[in-house]
Amino acid sequence: MAKKYIVDLSEDEVSQLQSIIKKGKHKARTITRANILLMAAEDEADSAMPTAGYAYADRVRVHVATVQRTREKFVIGGLDFALKDEPHPPKPQKLDEKQEAFLIATACSNPPEGRVRWTMQLLADHLVNLGIIDSISDETIRQTLKKTKLNRG
């Protein structure tokens, strides 16, 4: 049988969780986790009943694993650790500085023959055809040009 994590909240922690739920100015995940911790602390039968996590999950409409992880995080790291999300690692940029400079220069240049202007897909295809980058989407092109505040209109 898996190790059981017993949630024992102080009065201060209970009032803090209740204020999070009542104000509604927090992320939905934080409010859900606060509800889970309050239910786990109020239920005396929790330690004796292995299916108590299922009841919490049904009431809060989350998976049982979410209830178990929230309880475990509270026991291991405390209230703030259980309520907050870990920061996500930054995504690597698709284009480096030289590739971005080439894209901007291409977008500012005359379009290919038979075209009135560069489209996002045309720019993406052009970068791939020249071997500047292996693959790139038109949305990445759009975001890059938007970031540089390049007015195409």
Side-chain angles (χ1 to χ4, degrees):
M1 186 170 166
K3 184 177 179 184
K4 197 73 167 170
Y5 293 97
I6 308 298
V7 175
D8 186 25
L9 296 172
S10 67
E11 290 180 23
D12 184 42
E13 290 171 332
V14 170
S15 63
Q16 187 178 355
L17 290 172
Q18 287 173 340
S19 70
I20 287 172
I21 293 169
K22 288 179 183 175
K23 287 182 183 174
K25 296 194 178 221
H26 297 276
K27 293 180 181 179
R29 286 181 181 177
T30 304
I31 294 171
T32 301
R33 291 172 184 158
N35 275 318
I36 290 169
L37 290 174
L38 283 173
M39 284 183 214
E42 291 171 358
D43 195 5
E44 297 272 332
D46 178 48
S47 59
M49 222 168 76
T51 59
Y54 293 104
Y56 307 152
D58 288 341
R59 281 194 255 164
V60 186
R61 296 184 181 194
V62 294
H63 195 270
V64 178
T66 304
V67 173
Q68 293 168 347
R69 273 194 314 273
T70 303
R71 295 164 47 125
E72 180 180 357
K73 286 177 80 172
F74 173 76
V75 171
I76 291 172
L79 190 60
D80 286 338
F81 184 66
L83 294 177
K84 304 242 188 292
D85 286 328
E86 294 177 12
H88 296 283
K91 294 181 181 173
Q93 290 197 346
K94 188 73 174 175
L95 298 172
D96 64 18
E97 292 154 356
K98 287 183 179 181
Q99 293 168 332
E100 193 173 310
F102 184 82
L103 168 64
I104 294 167
T106 305
C108 292
S109 69
N110 292 329
E113 213 167 293
R115 298 289 187 145
V116 177
R117 65 178 58 97
W118 285 102
T119 64
M120 301 302 154
Q121 189 61 54
L122 198 59
L123 285 166
D125 293 341
H126 185 67
L127 290 177
V128 172
N129 290 340
L130 290 177
I132 303 295
I133 194 164
D134 293 334
S135 68
I136 191 165
S137 71
D138 58 333
E139 179 61 15
T140 304
I141 299 290
R142 185 194 68 78
Q143 289 176 358
T144 303
L145 294 177
K146 182 179 178 183
K147 181 178 70 175
T148 60
K149 299 191 187 322
L150 183 64
N151 188 354
R152 302 259 315 122

